[in-house]
Structure formats: C-alpha cells, structure tokens
C-alpha cells in the first residue's frame, strides 16, 4: 500500500508499517523473510512481519523453526547484510553455527578514496585506536553496543591524510568500536575464505531469486489482503506454489 493523500495506516491496515529505501518514497507494507536449503533450493520457512521489524530480529527464530519443524542439524547459514549484527553473530557462535554474511558498511562516507573502518587498529589492552597515520585516538564516550574514540585536533590539523579521513569541517575523526569487536573480527576472517564465496553464491542463486519470482510471477509486489494473518497466508501460499514448480522440474 503506497503512501498518498488517502493513506491512513490505522484505518486501512493497522498491522502494516512505513518503510523507505534509499531513492524511493515511503510505502506502507510488510517484509517477507524466507529460508531455503542449499541443496534443493526449496523454501523451508516463511515469516511475514510489519515492514519496520528489523531483519536481524528474525534470524534466530527462523533457525529455531527449521530445527523444530524439520529436525535439521544446522552448521552453516548464509544471509545478506541486513541480518548481520554483532549480537546475532555472537548467538550463532554459541550454537557452533558458522555464519557467512557480509559485514555492514562501517567505512567513512565520502567515496572509496576515504579511509575505511578496517584502516584503524584497535588496541583493546591499551584502550586506544591507532589511526592510519599512527596516532592514538582516545576513548570519548559509550553508546549502545559500542565505544566511541576520537582523535586529537593537534594530530589531525597538519596531517597529510586529513582529506582521506575527515569530510566535514571538523578537524578530528571519531570511530565506533563495537562491543562485539572480537566476534566481528572472527566473522571478517570467515568472510575472507573460499567457503564464504561458495556460501554467497548459493544464496544468490538459491534464495534471492525466490523474491524476484514471488513478485514477478505471483503478484507479491503488492499484497492482496490486509492484516498480518491474511498477508502471512498469502506469503505461505506463494511459497508453496514456488516449491511445487521447483519439485516438478
């Protein structure tokens, strides 16, 4: 349901929520989460949520349903960056599940010429961050799930790298170090392996096309019904149709 002068989310669909993608106008709707098995490319689970529910919140429930419904012994999962958070990665580690997910963008806005998150070295024992110029950045404050470090103005003022580090009129740089730093470093190492490339390929050819098929051939770009229960039924029936076509090939 698209936004417009006659839109009223309370009267038309109290369960739907507003969402907006970069470069697009806001729409009132839902999100559909699916899981597939890597071998047969069959949809094994469908979950529909209001559009404002963050994808990573559904990661563990989807896995739990796979285990309960299909008695699966899950050792690896692959998903896009919307599901990639430190909290989710930590919980997957406690279950001995290897996660292959792109890390969310942590670089500096301003183009590829700017220093990225990985160009800064975190020294946990000394509680400092070393910038690309070798200068120490000191602890500034805590924010939810992270510690913020800031450089000294005197170090940045005459630094030859300042054009690659700071885009605003400020003469200093800040950087957030996640509370899940160690977990994300291990995820970064996994993402540099051949297995990560293989898992990403399986997701691209197995899972992602299901969304395009649902929208293009089954009308799921726009739900026919209103209310989370009715919308969920349409999503499940659509997944069944896609699976039947897959099995019939």
């Amino acid at each position: 349901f698209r936004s417009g002068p006659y839109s009223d989310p309370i009267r038309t669909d109290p369960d739907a929520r507003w969402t907006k993608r970069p470069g697009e106008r806001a729409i009132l709707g839902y999100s559909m989460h699916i899981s597939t098995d890597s071998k047969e490319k069959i949809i094994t689970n469908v979950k529909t949520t209001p559009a404002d529910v963050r994808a990573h919140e559904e990661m563990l429930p989807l896995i739990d349903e796979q285990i309960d419904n299909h008695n699966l012994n899950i050792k690896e999962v692959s998903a896009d960056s919307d599901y990639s958070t430190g909290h989710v990665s930590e919980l997957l580690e406690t279950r001995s599940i290897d996660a292959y997910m792109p890390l969310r963008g942590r670089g500096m806005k301003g183009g590829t010429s700017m220093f990225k998150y990985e160009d800064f070295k975190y020294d946990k024992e000394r509680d400092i961050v070393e910038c690309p110029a070798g200068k120490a950045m000191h602890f500034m404050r805590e924010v939810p799930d992270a510690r913020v470090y800031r450089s000294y103005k005197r170090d940045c003022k005459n630094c030859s790298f300042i054009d690659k580090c700071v885009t605003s009129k400020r003469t200093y740089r800040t950087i957030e170090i996640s509370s899940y730093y160690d977990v994300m470093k291990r995820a970064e190492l996994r993402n540099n392996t051949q297995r990560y490339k293989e898992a990403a390929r399986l997701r691209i050819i197995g899972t992602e096309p299901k969304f395009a098929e649902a929208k293009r051939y089954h009308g799921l770009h726009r739900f026919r019904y209103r209310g989370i229960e009715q919308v969920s039924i349409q999503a499940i029936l659509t997944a069944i149709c896609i699976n039947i076509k897959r099995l019939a090939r």
Side-chain angles (χ1 to χ4, degrees), residues 32 34 43 45-48 210 213-214 217-220 223-225 229-245:
M32 178 180 172
I34 68 170
I43 298 175
N45 200 6
V46 181
K47 181 70 176 293
T48 305
K210 305 298 183 184
E213 183 176 353
Y217 300 112
H218 299 279
L220 212 61
F223 283 107
R224 296 172 60 89
Y225 308 101
E229 292 186 6
Q230 295 295 321
V231 165
S232 296
I233 290 173
Q234 182 182 350
I236 291 171
L237 290 175
T238 299
I240 291 173
C241 291
I242 293 174
N243 280 347
I244 290 175
K245 291 195 298 181

Side-chain angles (χ1 to χ4, degrees), residues 9-72:
I10 297 178
R11 290 165 49 190
T12 61
D13 192 343
D15 294 330
R17 294 295 182 269
W18 292 102
T19 184
K20 185 180 185 302
R21 292 185 177 275
E24 300 180 6
R25 65 175 180 171
I27 62 171
L28 188 65
Y30 298 88
S31 294
M32 178 180 172
H33 310 269
I34 68 170
S35 58
T36 62
D37 76 289
S38 58
K39 183 179 180 180
E40 301 297 339
K41 302 180 181 61
I42 293 295
I43 298 175
T44 55
N45 200 6
V46 181
K47 181 70 176 293
T48 305
T49 65
D52 64 345
V53 174
R54 296 181 178 181
H56 64 82
E57 297 176 11
E58 300 303 319
M59 182 68 152
L60 274 298
L62 281 170
I63 291 175
D64 288 337
E65 289 184 22
Q66 299 302 293
I67 296 173
D68 294 339
N69 295 339
H70 306 291
N71 195 29
L72 297 177

Side-chain angles (χ1 to χ4, degrees), residues 1-8 18-19 24-29 222:
F1 304 100
R2 296 190 176 276
S3 59
Y6 304 104
S7 297
D8 187 340
W18 292 102
T19 184
E24 300 180 6
R25 65 175 180 171
I27 62 171
L28 188 65
R222 186 182 181 96

Side-chain angles (χ1 to χ4, degrees), residues 100-116:
Y100 298 99
M101 301 180 288
L103 299 182
R104 291 186 175 186
R106 301 171 298 176
M108 185 71 176
K109 294 181 180 179
T112 57
S113 63
M114 305 301 292
F115 285 129
K116 299 179 180 179

Side-chain angles (χ1 to χ4, degrees), residues 204-221:
I204 291 172
I205 66 175
T207 303
E208 299 300 336
K210 305 298 183 184
F211 292 105
E213 183 176 353
K215 292 180 179 180
R216 181 176 300 176
Y217 300 112
H218 299 279
L220 212 61
H221 65 286

Side-chain angles (χ1 to χ4, degrees), residues 72-179:
L72 297 177
N73 183 21
I74 298 176
K75 294 296 183 183
E76 296 178 325
V77 295
S78 178
D80 62 35
S81 60
D82 287 342
Y83 296 86
S84 179
T85 67
H87 179 62
V88 168
S89 295
E90 184 178 63
L91 291 176
L92 291 174
E93 280 193 356
T94 62
R95 299 184 178 201
S96 299
I97 298 176
D98 290 333
Y100 298 99
M101 301 180 288
L103 299 182
R104 291 186 175 186
R106 301 171 298 176
M108 185 71 176
K109 294 181 180 179
T112 57
S113 63
M114 305 301 292
F115 285 129
K116 299 179 180 179
Y117 180 91
E118 293 78 11
D119 295 319
F120 295 79
K121 299 178 182 178
Y122 176 50
D123 189 328
K124 191 173 183 178
E125 293 184 359
R126 297 169 60 196
D127 194 26
I128 64 168
V129 173
E130 185 178 302
C131 76
K135 301 295 184 179
M137 302 173 66
H138 63 282
F139 171 71
M140 183 180 177
R141 67 178 184 273
E142 288 190 359
V143 296
D145 295 330
R147 291 168 64 83
V148 181
Y149 293 80
R150 171 182 161 172
S151 63
Y152 291 102
K153 288 185 177 181
R154 64 174 182 268
D155 291 332
C156 296
K157 186 175 181 181
N158 298 315
C159 180
S160 59
F161 296 139
I162 192 169
D163 291 337
K164 297 181 63 178
C165 195
V166 178
T167 57
S168 67
K169 295 181 179 180
R170 297 182 307 177
T171 55
Y172 63 88
R173 171 71 185 265
T174 60
I175 189 168
E176 291 186 6
I177 299 298
S178 171
S179 302

